[in-house]
Amino acid sequence: MPGDEDGRIAPASGTVQSGTSTLTTPGVFVTDQSRIRNFSIIAHIDHGKSTLADRLLERTGAITEREMREQVLDTMDIERERGITIKANNVRLEYTARDGASYVLNLIDTPGHVDFSYEVSRSLAACEGALLLADAAQGVQAQTLANAYLAVEAGLEVIPALNKVDLPAADPERVAEELVGILGGDPDEVLRLSAKTGLGVDDLFEKIIREVPAPVGSVEAPLRALVFDSYFDAYRGVVCYIRVVDGRISAGERLRFMASGEEYNANEVGFLTPRAVSVATLGPGEVGYLITGAKEIDRIKVGDTITSVAYQATAPLPGYSEPKSMVFSGLYPTDGDDFERLREALDKLRLNDASLHYEPESSRALGFGFRTGFLGLLHMEIVRERLEREYDLDLVATAPSVAYRVVKPSGEAIEIHSPQDLPNPGEVATVEEPYMRVMIISPSEYIGAIMDLVTNARGDMVNMTYLSPERVELVYHVPLAEVVFGFFDSLKSRTRGYASMDYEISGYRASDLVKVDILLNSVPVDAFSAVVHRDKAYEYGKKLVDKLRELIPRQLFDVPIQAAIGSRIIARETVRARRKDVLAKCYGGDISRKRKLLEKQKEGKKRMKMVGSVEVPPEAFVAALKVDD
Amino acid sequence: MTETGRPDAPNLADAAAHIRSAYVHIPFCARWCPYCDFAVVEGRDDSTDRYVRAVVSEIESEPAWGELGAIFFGGGTPSRLAPPLLGSIVEAVAERFGVADTAEVTLEANPEDWTEDLASGLVAQGFTRVSFGAQSFDPVVLTALGRAHTPDHIVRAVEAARSAGFSSVSLDLIYGTPGESMDSWARTVEKALGLEPDHLSAYALTVEPATPLGMQVRRGGAAPDPDLQADMWERAVAAAESACLVRYEVSNFAKPAHACLYNLGVWAQGEYLGFGLGAHGFRDGVRRRNVKRLDTYVERIESGLGAVQGTEVIGGWAAEIERLMLGLRRAAGVTSGAGGEALMASDSGKRLVDAGVVGLSGDRLVVTRPLLTDEVVRAVLALGEYP
């Protein structure tokens, strides 16, 4: 079969299966653009995007009920487990409209989390329309709004819709008002859906056909196709997801990637139903995949424009800006011998994640590892989890840090990605830290609680807008370092989960920052160092030391834990020596059981990282993240 | 074989590897103590005759072996069975394998069951050693442990055992019961030693998950405090030694010539047969365990099926780990061997030596802080297979 289990492209030469298409005859014609609609769905986590996508697939027969499993478009295990979408994916649906005509609808999936907003813009660039899906009970959330603005900016037709209208808590009237408040229009025109029951799905199709503009590429013009995503397949090499804008792309053709200048043969082109179906040609307006035989993903830049060598376009399509790492963390193998394996694993992950940046670093405490840059905390967590799960690595991750800009007395400015790189106070004129523009949408009753949180996080108010009498949009400038450390969790708990948040970088500002060091058994442990605002340093040191006392197991001797700014100790705790660690009884009946118990406990011991003579569990290195718990 | 020297002598510890022994499990109890996770049954005394017949039949079907040096009746509560019933098992063992004249034949007993008649009846059936589940001399602690006896029962039981002619009397104590203070424990130790037992076992109360105590602790109930237990252990060691009871294993103390042979054998990787429900045996490098349910056990034996539920071949690295895991519990330590040498050459071994936890005495590896024995074993395990 052409499609492998997770819907990606399998190493078989796919052929069109009979009955797959009434619109496309492979190799002869391309789809009439007036019958194509390209759209994506913008929704907050848990607002039902994946469920809706499943319903659309089912409704159009793209997938039978037997094949149906939840969240067909989310192919990575982590995506399915966390209920989120990380990589953009796409699927071609065929729908016969009420007017009797058949349409090709390309659904291009987008990630819902703020960390991946740059992937969102990639997906949007391949579409003419976007469905803005809001939970009829919870209303519009900040990330949804941010992505809706992205879509509007990209010139897309945005169709508002309410999901979960069948739930008792649903308040479609109120949420419809909110949606039109943002996008304009008539609240009665807002679609009412239940992705769970399938209610309204046909209306949705009709509305997409009616309102999303058909693509208007030129069939005659030279080929211009946008690479909006790519991934690495172990058998096929790099697989590009493409949107043909002008001209046609045919299997066997010699292609040129305009930005990189690389040339490849089009070994295979096709589309996903979600099975891979190879075709001879994709025409303007169509969305599908391309396999060139390229083996290194770095050679193919997402955002690049593909043209034909024989009939070249003169100007490329607009590309995207490269994503910038926002959060940095040191990743170290628990077992130093795994360093090379970690490098190989990162290299492989990067094949599918161009936003991942890393460079080798060494720590006195942790040995050799990589300083790794991420788009955000979720991205960091996911990368770490994939490294551990898919590559069977035991890792220690240091507390995340942001990129600081250090201006030296000479006026020279350097960027540091790790607290341990902060120069001594004498060599620093000013330290600047990145600030974020944070947008929060919340029920207005929580304004006070949010203000309090933001003040604690050293933030300033920029703007406040009432979306409705009950809901307010708040905009602040907050240091990224504060956003990184539990800001979102605090926001959720202070607003009982009702607030949502989005952020984007807004620039650097000078702050009074100091480095807090941690000493274990009187030896400084570089991996625990953190850059903290001076006013918060004492409290931070005390809380971290306290947290470490809980996390570091009792050892064979007393272990003092100290926090220090320079040579000044600001907090101290002691982990008392362990005195008793023996089974009371071990007789004939117990031996196998006790041996297995000790073997199991040994596994826990193997996870420990030796820092000097102290055994430290990996979680301790991110303890700083949890000082507020 | 006769034991003569100090209980902690290395030659005694190692020679015990050659003792052949048998364990017999008697599951019957008047009531289930809340901390106990052994195979026990409550209110099933109507099945004792049938059970004993099954055990005898299990013994008869065991392949012939050499003469036994030790038999241990554990429970449950072996003292719930009448002496003739227990005697019939001893006799079956003697007939099947032979029992040395000097053999140690132990039973565990509850002080409240014990009478002079019972004691002399058991001596007549060949029992030489009794281990009383005394647990504590503090009535409050006894209640907390769900025990039915009083401190007086213990005193009378020891006297009765002596006068009936038991050649070795042992007391089991439990320390660290939530609510037990250091003072209470000190008085328990003092009273126990005042009875001049030949042998003493002092166990830290251990919370086993599948017990009422385990449930209580999971629900947030009081758990034993390991630091207080460490203090209590130290107190017991000091008091026992001043009463001439030598600590020869983490939790066991004996006067010269009174170390428990059956247990010495187990700790030296000696072979033993296991009879009765839930019993384990170890013979020819294979460990086997019997089914744990009373009815299943009896039915399987009666229908001619064996009672073995599972077997495990103990060889290679597993055998080496067990040799150290068991041997290091002894005050005599254990010959270093492959695992010990690997440990002493490793970083973790050096750290343990620096912290005074383990050391070499000639070619023997000895744990010098016995309460940290498991840390040493885990360090060996962490070296990985066949270092």
Side-chain angles (χ1 to χ4, degrees), chain B:
Chain B
M1 115 170 226
T2 317
E3 171 207 345
T4 50
R6 278 175 63 94
D8 59 355
N11 58 351
L12 173 68
D14 292 349
H18 306 296
I19 302 171
R20 287 190 194 86
S21 55
Y23 175 84
V24 181
H25 191 73
I26 307 296
F28 304 98
C29 281
R31 54 175 167 169
W32 183 21
C33 300
Y35 54 87
C36 171
D37 77 336
F38 288 105
V40 299
V41 292
E42 198 182 273
R44 292 294 306 273
D45 290 3
D46 58 316
S47 303
T48 51
D49 288 10
R50 197 171 159 207
Y51 179 72
V52 168
R53 278 196 302 276
V55 171
V56 167
S57 150
E58 190 190 7
I59 291 165
E60 285 166 351
S61 61
E62 176 72 23
W65 208 27
E67 199 177 60
L68 303 192
I71 310 175
F72 194 101
F73 284 71
T77 316
S79 57
R80 275 194 85 69
L81 298 197
L85 276 180
L86 294 175
S88 68
I89 297 174
V90 177
E91 200 186 316
V93 170
E95 261 180 33
R96 184 74 191 126
F97 312 107
V99 174
D101 295 341
T102 54
E104 168 195 280
V105 184
T106 305
L107 88 158
E108 292 179 331
N110 275 356
E112 70 270 28
D113 296 339
W114 202 255
T115 60
E116 284 187 17
D117 287 350
L118 180 71
S120 41
L122 288 166
V123 170
Q125 298 293 346
F127 285 88
T128 64
R129 185 170 181 275
V130 59
S131 171
F132 289 112
Q135 321 311 13
S136 175
F137 283 80
D138 183 335
V140 177
V141 174
L142 286 172
T143 307
L145 289 172
R147 304 293 299 194
H149 64 270
T150 63
D152 276 351
H153 280 123
I154 307 170
V155 176
R156 286 201 296 270
V158 171
E159 281 165 5
R162 291 275 184 228
S163 55
F166 273 89
S167 55
S168 204
V169 175
S170 178
L171 295 177
D172 279 3
L173 299 177
I174 291 177
Y175 59 86
T177 304
E180 181 184 38
S181 65
M182 187 61 173
D183 281 350
S184 162
W185 170 244
R187 281 194 298 275
T188 285
V189 172
E190 193 187 324
K191 285 179 181 166
L193 293 173
L195 297 177
E196 300 188 340
D198 306 296
H199 186 279
L200 180 75
S201 303
Y203 300 117
L205 178 65
T206 305
V207 181
E208 299 290 351
T211 60
L213 176 67
M215 294 286 283
Q216 268 173 36
V217 170
R218 265 204 304 286
R219 290 200 196 109
D225 168 4
D227 289 342
L228 178 59
Q229 286 186 321
D231 290 338
M232 289 173 160
W233 179 85
E234 282 169 7
R235 172 63 73 98
V237 173
E241 276 174 4
S242 54
C244 297
L245 283 161
V246 178
R247 189 186 64 79
Y248 69 106
E249 192 256 2
V250 173
S251 309
N252 284 282
F253 306 81
K255 288 186 175 161
H258 283 280
C260 174
L261 291 181
Y262 165 73
N263 283 331
L264 280 177
V266 169
W267 295 325
Q269 286 187 304
E271 295 185 308
Y272 50 94
L273 305 172
F275 301 113
L277 73 93
H280 289 226
F282 180 56
R283 185 173 172 183
D284 301 326
V286 178
R287 178 163 301 122
R288 58 181 216 195
R289 68 193 145 83
N290 281 352
V291 294
K292 278 187 94 170
R293 272 194 68 236
L294 177 61
D295 295 330
T296 317
Y297 173 79
V298 172
E299 282 158 19
R300 285 183 62 164
I301 296 286
E302 286 175 355
S303 54
L305 302 164
V308 177
Q309 185 172 43
T311 58
E312 183 186 9
V313 177
I314 307 297
W317 186 238
E320 178 64 1
I321 289 296
E322 288 193 357
R323 189 181 71 83
L324 293 165
M325 177 180 93
L326 297 165
L328 287 171
R329 294 182 67 86
R330 306 177 300 195
V334 66
T335 316
S336 274
E341 280 163 22
L343 175 71
M344 296 307 266
S346 71
D347 288 345
S348 50
K350 289 186 184 106
R351 280 194 298 274
L352 288 164
V353 171
D354 288 346
V357 178
V358 71
L360 278 176
S361 165
D363 66 342
R364 299 182 80 80
L365 196 60
V366 179
V367 177
T368 34
R369 289 170 68 185
L371 287 184
L372 296 175
T373 301
D374 286 0
E375 179 68 19
V376 180
V377 180
R378 279 194 293 268
V380 180
L381 280 164
L383 296 174
E385 201 158 331
Y386 293 110

Side-chain angles (χ1 to χ4, degrees), chain A residues 255-322:
Chain A
L255 301 174
R256 181 179 165 79
F257 286 71
M258 297 181 76
S260 67
E262 302 264 343
E263 288 187 10
Y264 293 100
N265 280 327
N267 291 351
E268 184 179 324
V269 293
F271 50 77
L272 304 171
T273 70
R275 287 195 176 67
V277 174
S278 84
V279 294
T281 299
L282 290 174
E286 291 198 276
V287 172
Y289 67 87
L290 161 71
I291 295 169
T292 60
K295 294 289 177 218
E296 290 155 74
I297 200 134
D298 280 349
R299 294 288 182 85
I300 291 179
K301 288 234 177 301
V302 168
D304 206 343
T305 301
I306 302 171
T307 189
S308 157
V309 169
Y311 183 27
Q312 290 194 22
T314 48
L317 300 161
Y320 317 95
S321 51
E322 284 262 328

